[in-house]
């Protein structure tokens, strides 16, 4: 029986490297609460991401929840439903109403042509998603935000280390949230960060991730606890040494998938975009069953029968979740609905072998009539 292949597999440093990194933490017994390793990783990440301001968190979701809180938003927030649960939940958990904009059919990010029609006098922000690491149309979003005086917070969970024309992706909008979860291109086991433009947001984030505590005798924010601990930070420091090489290995895997699947009728794959330096975080494939001859679900099942576990990211759409039943009209996001029913993210990680990619593609293409 073949070994199981999952949609992803964490990048990890050699264990000796991690042990060496955590020994001083052990000896000092300073384990968390914004310690030395936390501060060091913050510094290294601001350099790697090419941003001036950054704040680390225990995970990406808390980073998003708290940056939304830090912006003091009210009323409605325009966002997309073609994302992980976190994006929509972070908006709702802040007492805000998500207003769902459709995605564009090319890269599944927010359709900038459809944003303005959704703006009302209650709109306070736009929260677009760089889904799969596909970068939103940041210049159009900026124009709209300026015109209507709206905040922009990017869900950049998938966009670690990406650049547009050499500029780090964390420099756009008022803020961006990155996820450092085990399944991401760069991980701190669990973890996340917010990059932001106004330094006042930094003060707010600092307070909000530590219970709203400003000093020993002053608590002036209704904060949470979302601090990154020292073991997470040490993992980040190790992984950061290897991340560029890991991304290059991912690129080789992606190129092999493209070689097999790019010219298949009824299969759509993502290609590189000239201005964008990609991190190759996900490999989504959209199956048009009428042309390809098989549905996404049939291909997903066929892979599972071979112990290959691709994932239907992002199905179901967040605006169809049971917890939001009756609240949103999914017919207003038809492109997102179309893609969610047909997309499959194929296994992708730095150590996925070319032989495995070949095997996966052969299984996908079994029975395909040219
Ligand atoms: N915004 C967006 C757009 C996001 O995609 C996410 C997270 C967030 C916000 C929130 O960021 P975080 O709070 O998570 O930092 C996974 C990840 O847990 C989640 O981080 C990620 N997005 C989402 C797209 O994928 P699940 O529920 O699919 O994970 P799970 O446990 O099924 O893992 C997927 C596969 O990864 C497994 O089949 C095997 C492999 N795996 C997983 C883990 C946890 C490993 O090999 N080792 C591991 O330790 O959500």
């Amino acid at each position: 029986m073949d070994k199981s292949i999952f949609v992803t597999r964490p990048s990890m440093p050699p264990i000796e490297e991690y042990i060496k990194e955590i020994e001083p933490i052990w000896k000092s017994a300073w384990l968390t609460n914004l310690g030395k390793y936390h501060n060091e990783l913050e510094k290294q990440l601001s350099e790697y991401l090419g941003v001036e301001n950054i704040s680390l968190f225990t995970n990406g979701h808390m980073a998003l929840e708290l940056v939304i809180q830090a912006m003091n938003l009210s009323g409605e927030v325009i966002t997309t439903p073609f994302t992980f649960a976190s994006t929509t939940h972070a908006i709702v958990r802040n007492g805000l109403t998500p207003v769902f904009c459709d995605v564009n059919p090319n890269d599944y990010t927010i359709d900038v042509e459809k944003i303005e029609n959704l703006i009302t006098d209650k709109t306070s922000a736009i929260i677009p998603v760089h889904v799969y690491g596909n970068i939103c149309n940041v210049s159009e979003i900026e124009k709209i935000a300026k015109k209507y005086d709206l905040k922009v917070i990017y869900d950049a969970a998938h966009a670690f280390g990406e650049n547009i024309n050499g500029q780090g992706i964390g420099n756009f909008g008022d803020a961006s949230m990155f996820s450092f979860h085990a399944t991401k291109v760069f991980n701190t086991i669990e973890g996340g960060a917010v990059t932001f433009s106004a330094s006042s947001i930094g003060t707010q984030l600092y307070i909000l991730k530590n219970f709203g505590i400003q000093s020993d005798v002053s608590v002036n924010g209704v904060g949470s606890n979302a601090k990154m601990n020292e073991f997470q930070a040490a993992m980040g420091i190790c992984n950061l040494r290897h991340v560029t090489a890991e991304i290059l290995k991912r690129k080789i895997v992606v190129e092999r998938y493209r070689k097999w699947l790019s010219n298949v009728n009824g299969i759509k794959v993502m290609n590189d975009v000239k201005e964008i330096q990609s991190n190759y975080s996900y490999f989504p494939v959209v199956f048009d069953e009428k042309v390809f001859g098989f549905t996404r679900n049939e291909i997903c099942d066929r892979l599972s029968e071979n112990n290959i576990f691709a994932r239907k990211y992002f199905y179901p759409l967040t605006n169809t979740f049971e917890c939001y039943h009756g609240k949103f009209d999914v017919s207003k996001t038809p492109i997102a609905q179309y893609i969610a029913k047909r997309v499959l993210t194929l296994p992708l990680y730095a150590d996925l072998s070319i032989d495995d990619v070949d095997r996966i593609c052969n299984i996908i293409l079994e029975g395909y009539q040219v």
Side-chain angles (χ1 to χ4, degrees), residues 21 25 38-40 45 52 55 66 89 91 110 161 175-176 229 275 296-297 313 362:
E21 205 63 50
I25 302 175
H38 166 278
N39 296 344
E40 176 59 26
L45 281 173
E52 214 161 291
S55 183
L66 294 181
H89 288 348
I91 295 168
I110 194 163
S176 298
N229 71 50
E275 308 74 41
R296 179 271 307 270
N297 288 352
Y313 296 136
N362 271 313

Side-chain angles (χ1 to χ4, degrees), residues 26-173:
W26 213 269
K27 283 184 186 142
S28 73
W30 190 273
L31 308 186
T32 185
N33 285 6
L34 314 176
K36 190 172 135 192
Y37 283 73
H38 166 278
N39 296 344
E40 176 59 26
L41 180 63
E42 209 163 62
K43 194 173 122 249
Q44 290 187 15
L45 281 173
S46 94
E47 276 164 35
Y48 189 88
L49 298 173
V51 295
E52 214 161 291
N53 301 311
I54 185 166
S55 183
L56 304 186
F57 288 83
T58 192
N59 59 53
H61 179 78
M62 284 312 296
L64 188 57
E65 262 197 43
L66 294 181
V67 69
I68 294 172
Q69 189 181 346
M71 295 272 175
N72 261 323
L73 305 179
S74 62
E76 297 172 358
V77 171
I78 296 172
T79 187
T80 54
F82 188 68
T83 183
F84 194 54
S86 171
T87 323
T88 304
H89 288 348
I91 295 168
V92 173
R93 287 170 60 83
N94 268 285
L96 301 162
T97 304
V99 172
F100 290 104
C101 184
D102 210 353
V103 297
N104 76 65
N106 306 318
D107 63 11
Y108 325 129
T109 63
I110 194 163
D111 186 340
V112 290
E113 303 283 327
K114 295 182 181 156
I115 296 177
E116 284 197 74
N117 272 344
L118 298 172
I119 296 174
T120 70
D121 54 8
K122 294 193 192 115
T123 311
S124 61
I126 310 173
I127 303 191
V129 184
H130 298 309
V131 67
Y132 306 131
N134 296 344
I135 300 303
C136 300
N137 187 338
V138 289
S139 51
E140 272 310 308
I141 292 169
E142 190 179 328
K143 273 188 214 151
I144 297 167
K146 269 209 179 116
K147 183 167 162 194
Y148 295 93
D149 192 22
L150 304 175
K151 297 281 186 212
V152 178
I153 303 170
Y154 285 103
D155 180 331
H158 303 171
F160 181 84
E162 295 196 312
N163 285 300
I164 307 182
N165 292 321
Q167 197 176 7
I169 198 64
N171 290 296
F172 296 91

Side-chain angles (χ1 to χ4, degrees), residues 48 160 185 243-251 278-280:
Y48 189 88
F160 181 84
V185 167
V243 71
T244 306
E246 293 285 287
I247 290 172
L248 280 176
K249 283 161 84 180
R250 285 171 169 272
K251 184 177 181 204
S278 175
N279 63 8
Y280 303 98

Side-chain angles (χ1 to χ4, degrees), residues 66 69-70 204-212 221-225:
L66 294 181
Q69 189 181 346
Q204 272 301 98
L205 290 175
Y206 186 86
I207 290 171
L208 289 176
K209 71 177 160 188
N210 189 26
F211 308 100
V222 185
S224 186
N225 178 6

Side-chain angles (χ1 to χ4, degrees), residues 169-223:
I169 198 64
N171 290 296
F172 296 91
D174 295 279
S176 298
M177 176 280 287
F178 294 88
S179 164
F180 306 151
H181 184 262
T183 55
K184 297 296 189 293
V185 167
F186 165 76
N187 83 79
T188 57
I189 306 171
E190 291 263 7
V194 172
T195 59
F196 48 95
S197 54
S199 51
S200 56
I201 293 298
T203 317
Q204 272 301 98
L205 290 175
Y206 186 86
I207 290 171
L208 289 176
K209 71 177 160 188
N210 189 26
F211 308 100
I213 295 172
Q214 199 171 36
S215 74
D216 282 358
V217 290
S218 159
V219 178
N220 70 350
V222 185

